[in-house]
Amino acid sequence: MSSEPHAIRRATAADVPAVKAVTDAAYHPYIARIGVVPQPMEADHAANVAAGLVHVTGNPQVIGLVVVEARRDHLFLDSIAVHPDAHGQGVGRVLLTFVDEHARALGLPEVRLYTNALMVENQKLYPRYGYDVVERRADGPYDRIHYRKRLARM
């Protein structure tokens, strides 16, 4: 494991409890606002880790993570979570930069994600990192805003 601040590595089975804990801590405040449990809290973290979809940061304790999945024409950012105790330390920025670099390394031209429309903080955050709104649509109980970021070729 790297001693570099906020180094990112693929999660292992030993990280599953921390992945769940960080995800729950990051998303729990939204339950009251959106009226349902955010989907990342209900994810099968063990299966996602086993599939190689989860990347974590924090040494020795996990403080942030992303869940990403390569698709045919883009990298899907399924979830990003930073433990509330680590807010303001640049963890989210490092994770989003990693997502871009990971997509480029896979030869994918863009990153896509969605966020709940009631998670209004994200509507300010993602455009600052180059994401454009594609559409807004309801998916079951979730009102989602879909974003994409086209990556410049390096």
Side-chain angles (χ1 to χ4, degrees):
M1 187 183 306
S2 174
S3 61
E4 180 182 327
H6 307 310
I8 297 173
R9 62 178 173 78
R10 191 174 303 253
T12 67
D15 294 314
V16 170
V19 167
K20 178 173 178 26
V22 170
T23 300
D24 288 353
Y27 284 93
H28 188 269
Y30 293 113
I31 294 172
R33 188 185 308 172
I34 67 176
V36 293
V37 173
Q39 209 167 22
M41 292 177 72
E42 296 183 329
D44 185 338
H45 302 295
N48 286 341
V49 167
L53 304 179
V54 183
H55 300 265
V56 298
T57 188
N59 185 9
Q61 184 175 332
V62 172
I63 58 171
L65 63 104
V66 290
V67 181
V68 292
E69 183 179 348
R71 306 266 173 94
R72 181 182 55 77
D73 60 350
H74 68 279
L75 185 66
F76 177 61
L77 174 52
D78 187 39
S79 176
I80 182 169
V82 175
H83 195 282
D85 292 346
H87 285 179
Q89 298 177 22
V91 178
R93 182 185 74 252
V94 169
L95 289 167
L96 287 171
T97 299
F98 166 79
V99 169
D100 291 354
E101 292 169 355
H102 189 57
R104 284 188 187 100
L106 295 171
L108 297 170
E110 66 184 40
V111 177
R112 297 182 193 170
L113 62 87
Y114 53 74
T115 189
N116 191 290
L118 294 176
M119 295 179 179
V120 294
E121 303 87 344
N122 295 341
Q123 294 174 48
K124 295 175 184 149
L125 174 79
Y126 291 126
R128 283 199 334 246
Y129 288 94
Y131 287 84
D132 297 311
V133 173
V134 175
E135 68 178 328
R136 180 174 176 169
R137 74 170 184 256
D139 294 315
Y142 303 101
D143 180 10
R144 293 180 170 152
I145 299 175
H146 293 251
Y147 291 86
R148 82 170 160 209
K149 179 179 184 178
R150 291 191 170 119
L151 301 172
R153 296 193 185 264
M154 300 306 261

